[in-house]
Amino acid sequence: MNEQQQTLWGFMAQQSDKLLTQTLQHIGLTFISLFIAVLIGLPLGIFITRKKQFSGTVLGIAGVLQTIPSIALLGFMIPLLGIGAKPAIVALLLYALLPIIRNTYTGITGVDSAVKEAAVAMGMNKWQVLFKAELPLAMPVILAGIRTATVINVGVATLASYIAAGGLGEFIFGGISLNNTNMILAGAIPAALLAILFDFLLSRLQHLNLKKLKTAVAALPLLLIIMSSFYFIPSAYGGKLTAGFTPEFMGRQDGNLGLQSKYGLKIHTIVISDAVMYKAAYEKQLDVISGYSTDGRLKAYGLIVLQDDKGIFPPYYAAPVVREDALNKFPELEKTLNMLSGKINDSVMTDLNYRTDYLHQSPERVAKDFLLAHTLWQPERNGKVGVVRIGSKIFGEQYILAEMYAMLIKGYTDYDVATKTGLGGTKICFDALTNNQIDFYPEYTGTGLLAILQSSKKTVDSLGGDKNKIYNYVKNVFKAKYNIKWLQPIGFNNAYALMMRQKQAKDLGVKTISNLKQYLESK
Amino acid sequence: MIKVEDLSKSFGKIKAVDHISFQVKERENLILLGTSGCGKTTTLKMLNRLIEPTSGKIFINGENILMQPPEILRRGIGYVLQNNGLFPHYTVAENIAIVPQLLRWDRKRIENRVSELLEKLHLDTTYLNAYPNELSGGQQQRVGLARALVADPPVLLMDEPFGALDNVTRSKIHAEFKALDELKRKTIIMVTHDVQEAFELGDRICLMDKGRIIQNGTPAELLFNPVNSFVKDFLKEQRLQLEFKALHLIDIWDWLPTSKKRETKLNLMSDTGLWESLEGFKFTNSEEISISHQNNEIKTVGFEQLMAAFYQYKKQQTHE
């Protein structure tokens, strides 16, 4: 691939269609939720100035909503509202509520009491006092709240891509997964610019004098509606089946690109985070998803893997990747890590994953049980000869492996261990490794070949999907290029796979990806 | 005109106003005087129901105001606040036009009335489109007064209207206030803690303390016939000046010497205040002034003769 040569500008020009769509979706998402938040927050803010006894409760609840991590909030929304635009808009509007309610409340209670008294004394009724005196005078403060909410929304809306609601997050998270800096920047820069632009425009509005503000505020709802209309809901059109693919899968040769080129598969596709993808498939929001063949949720949600009859998904055998200088520094390390080699096959890994992902057992417990069952566990030696830093990506399997390695190192060597688990994606993990932030982490041969080395199509074809050839290839190239060593494979193959609900696949008679294509093209 | 019966207001356990009754005659200028927390402002605000009484009755022109919708009641009562309470986002013209707007006057009528008032209050029409923060304190207070007067309400309530002004501006506005014909037609209830102001502007004064009325009477009654030592102590400072302000020429008429009519620069009616008459000597630089009483009876007197009559009057009061 010529990613290194391609400039950011080149990427953006090449992807301008997508960039425009995503930007418009992003603006739309931001403003639909903002609009609804104003519709709810403004009256609520006014209400609590009238009934002060509720102000603590209302502001308290809005404050608590604000503290929920955005990913978690989006996660809560799935069971209630499914995936797509609805949960994203609801989550965004919940974030926007606090600044709007709080500033409405502060703004109105801050209006000079002499002015309010004059308004009442001249014979205005409570609505006239509100609309002629309180709201106009509180408007700069209320606008400041709306401004804060807008900037928050532009930021949080990047996460909407996790639940298939589109927006610039598709580029950002796709880029992180694919180790493609240009793609990250193509999403991040427009998102940042949007935040700065809206902040600037609203600050201008806020500092207009009170007279001009009247007209400006009258125009505001119209503007909000126009901005909102930029958002066309991604799932508005549909085919027979809907596929949900992760941003990473969307951009990979061994992912959606391969599906299109080798199988000619055309399916209505939305982009979604793998954290919610399985559940969405289970709840029939999605029909086909891009999963991992050892994922515990496969078992939990009754999904089956479609057979890859044209062999586009290369093998993804897991093995620890270690920096050579760490191996020199910790002579015992390689031997210890290799103790796991060949111990875990696909079905064992699926079961271990099932226990963490579905039975919610802690990775630590699952790891210990496994080591005990295979008589590999030894009590800690509490050694203090240096600290081995273990990294892991942000999904269950990696956590379990990291725990196993930590226990083995503590039990068999005199090294201490620091774990840095939950590093977002391949790029983040690999950068941490090369920048000496961690000493090793479990990686997959396929990921090494395609995502990290960005190998050309010719190279990939020449390896022909053979597991040993690929392992040897990445081992040699990593050694030469990064001075990083691939240790022995653990045994299981966590390859990409297309999955469907068991029942649906049976009903439709779909067993292979080619079957799926035939079904989609049949009338 | 206004009749207050057995009016009380409690805030929790605190009795802000404690069973007070008083009456105000038409076109009378009643001052509610007292220190902070004596209940004078609470009393005033109950008259237009900014504060709802705990018990008691209020009648304006024989109608029980507690039975009327408060908004309608308030549109018929002018109200002037200490910190003017002008709408910062309205121009001067818009501020003055608030009540007519509520009463749905047509545009022409509003415009005419606003410019009429500006003229009477010595405000330049160029201020019409200015915002309150572009005006001086005195000008703002005039606009506040115009806003209260615009719909020509028969009753005007004023809550320390001149309290925020400096002394020079205040005495200037006092003079205009007394000269304004619009105000002469009004029944006015004004709250102040300033004894001088009360004596200068009030026809009658209600001296309040701890939610009760201690004495209700003309300035002269309060000065020369105080009901108790509280009233006496309250008026102790600058007593001489107060006495001058409380008395009118008619009060000391009998002690003024009769004399032949002579030409003087200053001719005063006998209902002129004594303080004003004394100032007259200074301003016109005259030796003598002429005073006309009813039936065209005229006395021409000098400064010493006026002062002598004043002391005679005082002596007689203390003997009574």
Side-chain angles (χ1 to χ4, degrees):
Chain A
M1 289 257 267
N2 58 348
E3 197 250 338
Q4 260 65 35
Q5 286 85 35
Q6 195 182 26
T7 58
L8 172 62
W9 186 245
F11 179 86
M12 287 168 91
Q14 187 199 339
Q15 301 278 338
S16 59
D17 281 5
K18 255 189 175 171
L19 184 62
L20 182 69
T21 316
Q22 290 186 12
T23 308
L24 290 181
Q25 279 181 346
H26 206 92
I27 296 173
L29 264 183
T30 305
F31 283 94
I32 291 179
S33 49
L34 189 69
F35 185 58
I36 303 173
V38 172
L39 285 185
I40 298 173
L42 199 63
L44 205 56
I46 295 167
F47 172 75
I48 58 175
T49 61
R50 299 297 188 265
K51 303 257 184 254
K52 287 242 166 68
Q53 66 267 34
F54 293 115
S55 65
T57 321
V58 170
L59 290 173
I61 292 173
V64 167
L65 287 175
Q66 194 88 38
T67 63
I68 300 176
S70 12
I71 295 276
L73 190 59
L74 290 171
F76 287 143
M77 293 294 153
I78 309 283
L80 299 173
L81 297 165
I83 55 168
K86 262 190 288 177
I89 290 169
V90 172
L92 284 176
L93 95 85
L94 290 180
Y95 277 111
L97 273 183
L98 178 67
I100 294 175
I101 298 177
R102 192 183 46 208
N103 282 43
T104 306
Y105 179 74
T106 319
I108 290 181
T109 43
V111 172
D112 183 2
S113 58
V115 173
K116 280 191 234 180
E117 188 181 286
V120 175
M122 279 182 293
M124 290 188 176
N125 62 36
K126 60 181 180 177
W127 295 109
Q128 289 165 328
V129 174
L130 178 66
F131 285 107
K132 285 176 193 273
E134 290 179 312
L135 277 184
L137 289 171
M139 202 42 79
V141 183
I142 296 175
L143 281 176
I146 294 178
R147 184 177 155 199
T148 312
T150 311
V151 176
I152 291 176
N153 268 9
V154 172
V156 179
T158 54
L159 297 175
S161 66
Y162 270 142
I163 50 171
L168 288 163
E170 285 187 16
F171 271 159
I172 297 177
F173 295 108
I176 292 174
S177 307
L178 293 167
N179 190 13
N180 183 339
T181 315
N182 282 339
M183 195 188 243
I184 299 176
L185 291 177
I189 292 173
L193 289 179
L194 283 182
I196 294 168
L197 177 74
F198 291 137
D199 190 52
F200 172 74
L201 290 179
L202 283 163
S203 79
R204 294 298 301 272
L205 189 63
Q206 194 185 334
H207 293 118
L208 283 180
N209 70 35
L210 288 163
K211 189 77 182 176
K212 285 188 194 142
L213 202 56
K214 276 186 215 164
T215 10
V217 167
L220 200 60
L222 193 69
L223 207 67
L224 278 178
I225 291 172
I226 292 171
M227 296 284 223
S228 303
S229 69
F230 286 162
Y231 189 72
F232 33 95
I233 294 157
S235 53
Y237 61 98
K240 274 182 186 167
L241 298 176
T242 304
F245 295 156
T246 60
E248 181 164 0
F249 189 83
M250 288 295 286
R252 287 175 76 139
Q253 260 315 311
D254 60 333
N256 197 34
L257 301 178
L259 282 177
Q260 286 170 351
S261 61
K262 287 216 174 145
Y263 283 97
L265 188 73
K266 287 195 188 74
I267 185 164
H268 166 53
T269 307
I270 57 178
V271 180
I272 189 165
S273 127
D274 76 326
V276 299
M277 184 173 66
Y278 292 90
K279 189 139 200 224
Y282 174 69
E283 284 167 353
K284 299 185 183 171
Q285 307 269 348
L286 297 172
D287 303 303
V288 181
I289 59 170
S290 61
Y292 298 99
S293 52
T294 58
D295 198 298
R297 286 167 292 192
L298 199 62
K299 187 171 166 184
Y301 291 130
L303 306 174
I304 57 154
V305 172
L306 300 185
Q307 211 184 316
D308 176 20
D309 51 329
K310 289 191 180 171
I312 62 158
F313 300 131
Y316 278 72
Y317 284 92
V321 287
V322 199
R323 267 200 338 280
E324 287 282 359
D325 59 313
L327 288 173
N328 293 332
K329 192 175 161 195
F330 307 110
E332 301 276 300
L333 187 60
E334 179 164 359
K335 198 176 73 192
T336 315
L337 298 185
N338 278 339
M339 291 175 78
L340 268 192
S341 162
K343 290 284 190 302
I344 306 175
N345 65 20
D346 285 10
S347 63
V348 172
M349 195 66 239
T350 308
D351 185 57
L352 295 179
N353 282 333
Y354 173 70
R355 288 173 60 185
T356 50
D357 294 344
Y358 198 70
L359 303 179
H360 303 300
Q361 295 175 352
S362 72
E364 194 186 345
R365 180 177 156 198
V366 173
K368 192 174 172 181
D369 286 353
F370 176 83
L371 293 182
L372 282 171
H374 290 74
T375 61
L376 285 169
W377 195 80
Q378 277 197 17
E380 284 183 28
R381 283 159 58 170
N382 289 319
K384 292 280 179 275
V385 190
V387 179
V388 181
R389 294 161 302 170
I390 309 177
S392 89
K393 300 184 192 180
I394 193 163
F395 51 90
E397 178 171 300
Q398 292 257 333
Y399 287 118
I400 298 172
L401 293 174
E403 284 295 340
M404 286 184 186
Y405 285 130
M407 286 172 190
L408 289 174
I409 292 169
K410 284 181 187 163
Y412 289 86
T413 72
D414 285 324
Y415 310 135
D416 200 5
V417 167
T419 47
K420 297 191 176 177
T421 50
L423 299 171
T426 298
K427 180 176 168 52
I428 295 171
C429 246
F430 188 68
D431 284 352
L433 185 67
T434 52
N435 290 315
N436 196 11
Q437 299 295 311
I438 54 174
D439 295 314
F440 77 93
Y441 73 95
E443 188 51 282
Y444 306 89
T445 51
T447 314
L449 179 69
L450 296 161
I452 299 175
L453 295 177
Q454 310 257 335
S455 306
S456 65
K457 198 166 181 305
K458 214 174 86 192
T459 316
V460 177
D461 287 347
S462 75
L463 297 170
D466 181 273
K467 81 177 231 198
N468 291 325
K469 278 187 187 167
I470 291 175
Y471 175 76
N472 288 327
Y473 176 81
V474 292
K475 188 174 174 178
N476 293 333
V477 180
F478 266 58
K479 170 87 178 140
K481 205 167 173 184
Y482 305 111
N483 208 20
I484 285 170
K485 185 169 183 183
W486 283 76
L487 303 187
Q488 292 169 20
I490 301 167
F492 66 90
N493 174 18
N494 186 6
Y496 265 132
L498 285 196
M499 307 173 180
M500 292 179 73
R501 283 185 302 282
Q502 244 161 14
K503 186 169 181 306
Q504 190 186 30
K506 206 174 157 194
D507 293 348
L508 302 178
V510 173
K511 279 188 179 151
T512 65
I513 299 177
S514 296
N515 291 159
L516 178 64
K517 175 178 148 60
Q518 283 156 16
Y519 167 74
L520 286 167
E521 286 173 0
S522 65
K523 284 284 164 184
Chain B
M1 174 78 187
I2 300 177
K3 199 164 124 192
V4 170
E5 280 181 5
D6 207 22
L7 192 66
S8 291
K9 177 69 193 180
S10 311
F11 295 106
K13 281 184 179 165
I14 300 155
K15 284 188 172 172
V17 174
D18 192 5
H19 298 282
I20 62 167
S21 302
F22 63 87
Q23 289 190 25
V24 192
K25 290 201 271 303
E26 198 163 348
R27 300 191 181 192
E28 193 173 44
N29 211 342
L30 176 80
I31 309 283
L32 297 173
L33 178 67
T35 50
S36 305
C38 72
K40 56 190 192 299
T41 300
T42 307
T43 305
L44 185 82
K45 288 184 180 175
M46 283 193 280
L47 295 178
N48 64 355
R49 294 181 61 186
L50 285 178
I51 296 176
E52 295 290 338
T54 309
S55 67
K57 285 178 188 157
I58 303 167
F59 297 93
I60 296 181
N61 282 333
E63 270 189 81
N64 184 350
I65 65 158
L66 298 175
M67 309 301 265
Q68 292 172 335
E71 289 87 26
I72 306 299
L73 169 78
R74 290 177 194 136
R75 286 172 202 173
I77 300 178
Y79 187 67
V80 183
L81 295 79
Q82 171 172 8
N83 294 312
N84 69 59
L86 295 176
F87 285 12
H89 57 307
Y90 277 25
T91 61
V92 167
E94 287 169 331
N95 261 296
I96 298 176
I98 290 173
V99 179
Q101 294 278 10
L102 293 176
L103 296 171
R104 299 184 193 288
W105 288 11
D106 63 62
R107 219 170 52 116
K108 198 79 208 146
R109 186 173 168 205
I110 296 177
E111 272 174 25
N112 290 341
R113 177 62 177 150
V114 169
S115 36
E116 179 192 10
L117 270 174
L118 280 189
E119 198 180 317
K120 283 185 181 170
L121 288 163
H122 312 291
L123 279 167
D124 198 281
T125 45
T126 52
Y127 288 124
L128 273 178
N129 293 313
Y131 284 89
N133 63 4
E134 299 166 82
L135 306 181
S136 71
Q139 287 168 329
Q140 289 180 11
Q141 206 53 43
R142 286 191 186 98
V143 176
L145 188 59
R147 184 176 65 175
L149 290 175
V150 64
D152 202 14
V155 178
L156 194 60
L157 305 179
M158 307 180 91
D159 184 11
E160 309 224 11
F162 312 117
L165 303 177
D166 62 87
N167 286 337
V168 178
T169 315
R170 185 169 0 173
S171 48
K172 224 168 114 189
I173 290 200
H174 279 171
E176 285 175 25
F177 183 83
K178 282 190 285 187
L180 200 64
D181 61 339
E182 296 246 356
L183 288 174
K184 287 180 182 152
R185 303 199 299 263
K186 307 257 178 260
T187 307
I188 300 175
I189 301 184
M190 183 193 293
V191 160
T192 184
H193 60 265
D194 180 347
V195 180
Q196 297 291 339
E197 185 172 83
F199 274 70
E200 193 154 330
L201 303 178
D203 296 325
R204 253 168 358 97
I205 296 174
C206 249
L207 181 61
M208 294 184 67
D209 187 45
K210 295 179 185 136
R212 292 170 178 275
I213 296 176
I214 306 299
Q215 187 170 3
N216 179 355
T218 61
E221 281 167 359
L222 263 69
L223 263 183
F224 300 111
N225 295 306
V227 294
N228 57 21
S229 57
F230 176 84
V231 181
K232 209 168 173 178
D233 289 346
F234 201 89
L235 307 177
K236 202 164 59 187
E237 278 189 42
Q238 298 175 295
R239 184 174 172 95
L240 185 64
Q241 197 183 354
L242 292 182
E243 287 172 348
F244 289 143
K245 281 185 177 168
L247 294 178
H248 295 86
L249 291 174
I250 185 122
D251 297 317
I252 55 170
W253 177 262
D254 294 343
W255 289 277
L256 289 172
T258 4
S259 58
K260 256 202 195 147
K261 194 196 166 198
R262 292 186 290 271
E263 261 327 292
T264 54
K265 280 192 213 161
L266 190 62
N267 299 295
L268 296 171
M269 298 298 290
S270 61
D271 63 352
T272 311
L274 184 55
W275 177 253
E276 217 177 305
S277 318
L278 293 173
E279 280 182 331
F281 282 101
K282 200 171 74 201
F283 290 148
T284 56
N285 213 4
S286 335
E287 295 290 319
E288 292 182 318
I289 57 168
S290 300
I291 303 164
S292 28
H293 196 32
Q294 61 218 36
N295 325 327
N296 289 330
E297 200 180 341
I298 292 175
K299 290 181 177 178
T300 303
V301 295
F303 189 82
E304 285 78 17
Q305 289 165 319
L306 207 59
M307 290 305 281
F310 167 70
Y311 282 111
Q312 293 279 337
Y313 172 85
K314 266 185 78 172
K315 215 170 175 182
Q316 196 226 352
Q317 293 294 321
T318 39
H319 282 293
E320 265 176 13

